[in-house]
Amino acid sequence: MARPKQERAVRTKQLILHAAAEVFDECGYSGTSISRILERAGSTQGAMYFHFKSKEDLARAVIVNQAEELKLPADPAGLQQLVDITLHLAHELQRNVLLRAGVRLAVEQEESGLDEYSVYEWWINQFRRELDVARERGELLPEVDEAEFAAVLVASFTGTQVMSQVATRRADLPERIASLWRYLLPGLAPAEVRQRLMVSVERGQAPV
């Protein structure tokens, strides 16, 4: 009988995490209460505190697990795949509440008092994998530092999505990311590589 209990506990934890993501996304950290999360989840305080110690603990879980439901490629494939991933993320931020809430909380950490940089490191590592393959394939300029550019790209994407959220609630985010690449690529890849790359808003609409 242990397995059904474990499966039920996992479902309850995911239900609470998703409810928290929805409320954090709508209200931000300060505007979110435990009671509102529990009401959204249809759960109890006892169930929540079994899995999460506090609102802060819940917020950290949303940040850390923001990419949990994303369909990212298992194997790195170079520069085109890196472009496609960022465009896919732009579309996912329009429809994936766990990602959207995790990104919002990560950006607004001063408000919550959290100090959670690991998610940025995780994204940097994801982008770095693609850049390492791009280097092996001769797709990068000699002076490009893969680790440095991966960090620059994460920072650029983060800032761009914040601006898009303020301006259009991210309705124009894919277009803004495509525009970002048009300015970044000349400093990243030789002309012959850029000519064969596709930076298209539509490429991010299906799982990469």
Side-chain angles (χ1 to χ4, degrees), residues 96-145:
N96 183 322
V97 70
L98 183 58
L99 175 64
R100 196 164 58 238
V103 167
R104 174 173 183 170
L105 291 170
V107 170
E108 299 176 354
Q109 289 192 61
E110 185 174 337
E111 177 184 338
S112 62
L114 296 171
D115 186 17
E116 186 57 66
Y117 189 72
S118 65
V119 69
Y120 290 111
E121 293 176 328
W122 188 86
W123 282 114
I124 289 168
N125 289 335
Q126 295 302 304
F127 293 169
R128 170 71 186 272
R129 292 169 69 234
E130 303 295 345
L131 290 163
D132 286 342
V133 172
R135 172 66 70 196
E136 293 171 4
R137 296 173 58 173
E139 296 178 337
L140 303 181
L141 293 168
E143 63 270 24
V144 171
D145 182 292

Side-chain angles (χ1 to χ4, degrees), residues 68-113:
E68 184 177 78
E69 297 172 354
L70 293 176
K71 295 180 180 179
L72 297 177
D75 299 313
L79 204 47
Q80 181 65 69
Q81 186 157 280
L82 179 59
V83 172
D84 290 349
I85 287 172
T86 59
L87 290 168
H88 179 59
L89 292 174
H91 286 286
E92 281 294 300
L93 278 165
Q94 297 173 333
R95 59 200 177 206
N96 183 322
V97 70
L98 183 58
L99 175 64
R100 196 164 58 238
V103 167
R104 174 173 183 170
L105 291 170
V107 170
E108 299 176 354
Q109 289 192 61
E110 185 174 337
E111 177 184 338
S112 62

Side-chain angles (χ1 to χ4, degrees), residues 159-174 176:
T160 300
Q161 70 85 23
V162 169
M163 290 180 65
S164 178
Q165 166 63 12
V166 172
T168 68
R169 297 192 64 82
R170 299 193 182 93
D172 67 349
L173 183 55
R176 285 177 182 261

